[in-house]
Amino acid sequence: QVQLVESGGGLVQAGGSLRLSCVASRNIFTINVMGWYCQAPGKQRELVATITSGGSTNYADSVKGRFTISRDIAKNTVYLQMNSLKPEDTAVYYCNAQTVVGGDFLNAWGKGTSVTVSS
């Protein structure tokens, strides 16, 4: 099992920046994929960015060039640097961990942190 705790959300004006953090309860180097997802009101949860244990990253087209996912293995923390924020980025952002433990697939979620971008 792994527990994930997000922080860093808040209210920001369009064009501003925020950095989200996700602290995991286990060594993130042992987790195959960690990522950030967002869910806007009335919409489905969708992928924002992922980072693999090998350091490869992947981004949704809507955030490419604006958001950066990174990690600090020593701190068991994954970050999402969000720049040039737009009102349409308003959502609850969830941290996710996917890995295989003892042959079982593990898919864990944090409780989310809210981001509101005002125009």
Side-chain angles (χ1 to χ4, degrees):
Q1 287 293 334
V2 57
Q3 283 73 49
L4 305 171
V5 179
E6 304 99 331
S7 62
L11 174 64
V12 64
Q13 289 187 332
S17 299
L18 283 174
R19 188 177 79 158
L20 307 184
S21 300
C22 171
V23 181
S25 61
R26 60 181 284 175
N27 186 344
I28 62 172
F29 191 69
T30 67
I31 298 174
N32 293 124
V33 183
M34 292 199 69
W36 289 95
Y37 290 72
C38 69
Q39 187 167 16
K43 295 187 177 181
Q44 290 188 334
R45 193 172 299 186
E46 58 186 26
L47 171 73
V48 176
T50 60
I51 185 166
T52 69
S53 57
S56 298
T57 59
N58 181 54
Y59 296 92
D61 288 342
S62 61
V63 307
K64 284 181 180 177
R66 299 190 299 123
F67 292 9
T68 302
I69 189 170
S70 63
R71 63 183 180 174
D72 186 331
I73 294 173
K75 295 183 178 180
N76 291 332
T77 301
V78 175
Y79 303 99
L80 184 69
Q81 179 66 44
M82 309 164 69
N83 297 330
S84 302
L85 282 160
K86 304 174 181 180
E88 50 263 44
D89 295 320
T90 295
V92 178
Y93 284 73
Y94 296 90
C95 184
N96 174 259
Q98 298 182 22
T99 194
V100 177
V101 179
D104 295 326
F105 178 68
L106 171 66
N107 186 25
W109 294 94
K111 293 183 178 180
T113 185
S114 181
V115 172
T116 302
V117 184
S118 62
S119 56

